[in-house]
Amino acid sequence: MNFSLRQAKLRDILRRNNVDAILLFGLYDIRYLCGFSGTDGAFLLTDSESIFLTDSRYATQARDQVSTDRVICYAGKLAGIGDELTRLEAARVGFDANSVSVAVFEKLTAQAPDHIEWVPLSEDLDALRACKDPDELALMKKAADLNREAFERIIPLIKAGVSEKTVALELEFALKRLGGEDNAFDFIVASGIRGALPHGVASDKPMGDGELVTIDFGTRVQGYCSDETVTFAVGNISGKLRQIFDIVLEAHDSALAAVRPGVKISDLDAVARNHISASGFGEFFGHGLGHGVGLDIHEYPAVSSRTEDSLREGMVITIEPGIYIPDLGGVRIEDSIVVTATGYELLTSIPKQFRSLTP
């Protein structure tokens, strides 16, 4: 990982905002900038120096992992940060307000020099990790490949009478046997009428003959996430269920075809949304088309009608339209893609066309 280049990107933010230092608490940003994968620490950057601060529990880990000019072990976190800001003689300090609670901020300002002007930089920092470098893309492709391999291993298990929780558990086992570090999120396995729940985490409900089943899952490789959703039938399904499946797949494919650098993200959302609406099911697609993926399972940019930014080469986003009809069921079809110079490249690779498994 080229941490020097990443820290240079943060220095560009520092200079644009005319601050003397940037202080970060968010663990995903910290890992991105210096490699630390532990659960507590802080990162300070000035125009000439990068500093990682943590406690004695992580001294050895920091020595092995962290790429900064200095590593400091503090006895008290906020007091340690205050001491460093005093040493740096910082007058204006930028920080990520999204990662700091009001209570922590009040304690921090009490420990730091009184003269410091605190400058929230959340909007600039949101986009820091948006465009992935080749190292990141390689890890995300590996995580996505594990999705495909694990799903292929559990297909024989999917049949009427098997519970959603059993499917989720076997999928987790398969991913970890293949080398996945941890679940990227709580797996969604929603069958039958539970398919109308966009976040229908696996339950004790057995899958039934004639139902659609939606599985949304992902793993991590060196911290980087995969995210993919498949919907399929168990046995023969009704014409209405097949209709909504086909509409969602068409919306998914249309959105993929519209991806390229410079496309306004809200316009991309509209491609899929307008197709579903024109087919008569607009009221049943309530969430955004997708989201950014990386070290965090949901990160910048949100792919929705409210996002004013445009796609840029190197962004990794999901395309996941859905239709969710109460008391009937639902469909979501999701791929993770990277925006390329001429369009997109799929990271995920499980086939998304309609298929029915033996009941």
Side-chain angles (χ1 to χ4, degrees):
M1 299 294 181
N2 191 336
F3 295 114
S4 295
L5 182 60
R6 295 177 182 183
Q7 292 172 21
K9 288 168 60 177
L10 187 61
R11 283 197 173 92
D12 288 340
I13 295 173
L14 178 144
R15 291 162 186 155
R16 285 201 307 270
N17 288 275
N18 192 30
V19 293
D20 302 310
I22 292 179
L23 172 64
L24 300 177
F25 289 93
L27 291 173
Y28 294 121
D29 282 338
I30 290 172
R31 183 165 188 171
Y32 176 79
L33 289 162
C34 70
F36 179 69
S37 65
T39 60
D40 196 21
F43 181 85
L44 261 172
L45 184 103
T46 70
D47 197 43
S48 60
E49 191 175 17
S50 59
I51 306 159
F52 176 69
L53 304 96
T54 191
D55 63 58
S56 60
R57 295 172 299 165
Y58 296 108
T60 300
Q61 182 177 345
R63 183 190 63 211
D64 293 341
Q65 284 187 331
V66 170
S67 295
T68 54
D69 296 315
R70 297 175 64 219
V71 174
I72 294 171
C73 282
Y74 47 66
K77 184 173 184 175
L78 300 182
I81 292 169
D83 290 343
E84 274 304 293
L85 292 173
T86 299
R87 181 187 71 82
L88 294 169
E89 298 181 344
R92 282 171 52 86
V93 177
F95 71 105
D96 183 3
N98 291 336
S99 298
V100 182
S101 69
V102 172
V104 169
F105 183 71
E106 289 177 347
K107 292 176 183 177
L108 173 63
T109 55
Q111 297 278 0
D114 293 338
H115 68 268
I116 288 179
E117 178 185 356
W118 295 92
V119 182
L121 302 178
S122 297
E123 188 170 329
D124 275 340
L125 293 172
D126 279 345
L128 178 67
R129 306 195 315 268
C131 295
K132 273 57 180 182
D133 61 39
D135 290 331
E136 294 176 288
L137 293 174
L139 294 174
M140 296 187 74
K141 184 65 170 71
K142 184 174 181 180
D145 287 345
L146 294 185
N147 273 24
R148 185 192 66 250
E149 294 177 48
F151 186 71
E152 288 172 353
R153 290 190 180 190
I154 69 155
I155 284 177
L157 176 71
I158 298 172
K159 59 187 70 176
V162 176
S163 74
E164 296 170 351
K165 279 187 177 178
T166 297
V167 172
L169 188 60
E170 291 300 323
L171 188 54
E172 179 178 352
F173 287 161
L175 284 164
K176 289 186 175 177
R177 290 186 185 108
L178 289 164
E181 293 172 346
D182 198 3
N183 295 352
F185 51 92
D186 289 337
F187 294 171
I188 292 167
V189 182
S191 60
I193 62 173
R194 292 192 74 254
L197 301 171
H199 283 176
V201 175
S203 73
D204 291 321
K205 177 190 175 299
M207 296 177 292
D209 186 14
E211 293 182 340
L212 286 176
V213 180
T214 295
I215 302 179
D216 187 348
F217 68 108
T219 189
R220 295 179 188 270
V221 172
Q222 292 184 41
Y224 283 86
C225 301
S226 58
D227 189 6
E228 187 166 13
T229 305
V230 292
T231 298
F232 51 88
V234 175
N236 297 316
I237 59 172
S238 69
K240 182 68 170 291
L241 289 175
R242 179 59 192 267
Q243 178 190 18
I244 64 172
F245 181 96
D246 290 343
I247 291 168
V248 171
L249 183 59
E250 290 162 1
H252 164 275
D253 292 350
S254 296
L256 285 179
V259 171
R260 64 184 182 278
V263 170
K264 195 173 179 181
I265 290 173
S266 58
D267 290 342
L268 180 63
D269 178 275
V271 170
R273 195 168 304 281
N274 290 346
H275 179 77
I276 291 174
S277 295
S279 301
F281 293 92
E283 66 181 294
F284 302 111
F285 178 28
H287 58 73
L289 179 62
H291 53 87
V293 185
L295 286 167
D296 197 356
I297 191 59
H298 291 99
E299 60 182 48
Y300 186 88
V303 184
S304 79
S305 60
R306 298 180 297 277
T307 301
E308 294 299 317
D309 200 357
S310 297
L311 295 176
R312 301 197 296 276
E313 185 176 354
M315 281 183 170
V316 173
I317 61 171
T318 66
I319 300 293
E320 48 180 307
I323 293 176
Y324 314 93
I325 303 177
D327 301 319
L328 176 67
V331 176
R332 181 165 65 257
I333 297 171
E334 176 188 18
D335 278 303
S336 295
I337 65 167
V338 55
V339 180
T340 65
T342 57
Y344 72 94
E345 178 183 333
L346 283 169
L347 295 175
T348 46
S349 58
I350 298 173
K352 300 307 189 297
Q353 71 269 20
F354 178 80
R355 60 174 150 177
S356 177
L357 303 179
T358 303

